[in-house]
Amino acid sequence: MRLAELGEFGLIDRIKANVAASPSVLLGIGDDAAALLPAPGLVTLITSDMLLEGVHFDLSFGDPQSLGRKSLSVNLSDLAAMGAHPRHFLLGIALPRELSVEFMDRFMSGVLEQAERFGATLVGGDTCASKGGVAISITALGEQRPELVVKRSGARAGDLVCLSGSVGDAAAGLQGLLRGERDGFLVSRQLDPTPRVSAGVALAEAGIASAMIDVSDGVLADLGHICELSGVGARLDLAMLPLSDEYRAVCGADPYALALSGGEDYELLFCVARERRGEAEELFQGLGLRLSVIGEMTEKGGVELLAADGGSYAPRQRGFDHFEAG
Ligand code: ADP
Ligand code: MG
């Protein structure tokens, strides 16, 4: 069956039928606006990310379910980078009339599977027909105590620069997809990233991270945002960049290029005062997640890159910018 036969309200009913109730949702899908019960003493953190067919994804690359998971994951990653617990989200979708209902069922099962895994409830959205491709826009709401929220602006000179997981995988995965690969570790890191929600929340609640950001545009660009807003610089030791074996196998002569500028890793990049390194290491050990110290924040502005041989490294590209000429 096509969406044209199901209709807008048929689709909304179908979505609604699979959404579980939540005590904080007084009114969910179905009215003109949702009514949410705020938790006393907590602030709401709200973030939005758009995914466009042809810009952010290609329907031939992966299955609709992982597209659904990723659509929510990129938003959960932003909440994680603030140290917020995910709570609610809105889903805006523009869909071609000829799209199959089966596609949407699978897409929604991915969205709702990820929502359940991370404790977020779908409370509303908007649905329209698209004359172009598929467009997805999710707005996610999270909560945290105001004093625990981790901003980009809190880094101090001397803080260690830390990174969760590994970087470069998603960008290498995209190159693989463009060459026709459809599975494997790198491809799954591109199509189905894991937002580091537990790590972000734990870092915030332990007060360990002085500044934090999620790596969506690439380590260099995202570290640049922390530097700018914190009024400090950074020096990175490139030999310390966490690279997966799978990435190393395909990265060619320059292992740093994609790891620094590729983006879409959705790892957490954060700063930690030197004396709290042990606590951060213990926290990550408990989560079973890799933690790497890749450099330090400096008084001097800008990001300095030291290659393995001690010489300085000049990146070819800084990071992803939607409006830059490709
Ligand atoms: P209105 O015209 O008043 O904006 P809509 O007909 O667009 O209302 O939506 C009806 C209800 O369905 C609203 O509660 C809205 O939040 C919800 N809704 C619409 N599209 C979606 C969607 N894609 N996902 C979840 N809820 C949706
Ligand atoms: Mg509407």
Side-chain angles (χ1 to χ4, degrees), residues 231-244:
V232 289
R235 183 166 50 239
L236 295 189
D237 186 352
L238 298 186
M240 305 300 280
L241 275 176
L243 307 178
S244 66

Side-chain angles (χ1 to χ4, degrees), residues 2 35 45 91 94 99 136 146 163 268 282 296 317:
R2 310 273 138 195
L45 294 111
L91 170 66
L99 198 71
I136 304 153
L163 201 50
L268 293 175
E282 217 169 287
E296 64 175 331
Q317 202 199 343

Side-chain angles (χ1 to χ4, degrees), residues 30-310:
D31 217 309
D32 293 309
L36 309 177
L37 204 63
L42 303 189
V43 287
T44 297
L45 294 111
I46 178 164
T47 180
S48 187
D49 260 305
M50 202 145 69
L51 273 83
L52 303 179
E53 184 180 353
V55 177
H56 299 93
F57 63 90
D58 186 317
L59 291 178
S60 70
F61 282 177
D63 58 294
Q65 205 160 333
S66 56
L67 178 63
R69 284 194 298 266
K70 181 172 179 176
S71 303
L72 187 57
S73 295
V74 300
N75 284 278
L76 298 180
S77 179
D78 281 317
L79 291 179
M82 304 301 290
H85 292 273
R87 294 290 190 230
H88 309 109
F89 67 104
L90 296 158
L91 170 66
I93 38 179
L95 307 164
R97 298 177 75 245
E98 292 315 309
L99 198 71
S100 72
V101 172
E102 191 213 340
F103 176 96
M104 275 314 291
D105 284 346
R106 289 167 66 195
F107 172 79
M108 283 312 303
S109 87
V111 170
L112 295 176
E113 173 194 338
Q114 203 72 334
E116 190 185 344
R117 179 172 167 204
F118 291 99
T121 305
L122 178 59
V123 297
D126 199 23
T127 304
C128 35
S130 165
K131 293 191 172 162
V134 173
I136 304 153
S137 171
I138 289 185
T139 299
L141 295 87
E143 284 176 336
Q144 186 48 280
R145 279 167 47 192
E147 69 276 18
L148 297 180
V149 170
V150 186
K151 294 175 277 195
R152 295 177 176 184
S153 58
R156 283 170 299 249
D159 283 355
L160 300 172
V161 182
C162 302
L163 201 50
S164 69
S166 58
V167 287
D169 300 331
L174 178 59
Q175 292 188 340
L177 282 161
L178 293 168
R179 282 194 305 266
E181 288 166 25
R182 288 295 177 266
D183 49 27
F185 172 78
L186 298 173
V187 163
S188 82
R189 290 272 289 162
Q190 162 62 221
L191 297 181
D192 199 359
T194 302
R196 302 304 187 188
V197 174
S198 314
V201 167
L203 284 165
E205 294 184 346
I208 295 177
S210 56
M212 184 151 62
I213 191 167
D214 65 319
V215 182
S216 51
D217 297 333
V219 167
L220 261 195
D222 291 318
L223 180 59
H225 296 314
I226 288 189
C227 288
E228 209 171 296
L229 287 166
S230 298
V232 289
R235 183 166 50 239
L236 295 189
D237 186 352
L238 298 186
M240 305 300 280
L241 275 176
L243 307 178
S244 66
D245 294 339
E246 292 85 350
Y247 174 82
R248 285 182 195 277
V250 300
C251 65
D254 182 356
Y256 306 137
L258 280 187
L260 287 173
S261 313
E264 289 204 277
D265 289 307
Y266 299 103
E267 295 295 347
L268 293 175
L269 178 66
F270 56 98
C271 301
V272 172
R274 232 160 240 287
E275 63 273 17
R276 307 203 65 182
R277 178 178 184 157
E279 282 173 80
E281 279 167 350
E282 217 169 287
L283 188 154
F284 271 70
Q285 214 159 35
L287 293 170
L289 187 58
R290 182 172 177 182
L291 169 69
S292 304
V293 174
I294 61 169
E296 64 175 331
M297 305 305 288
T298 56
E299 298 277 0
K300 185 170 158 263
V303 180
E304 192 186 340
L305 302 172
L306 293 180
D309 61 9

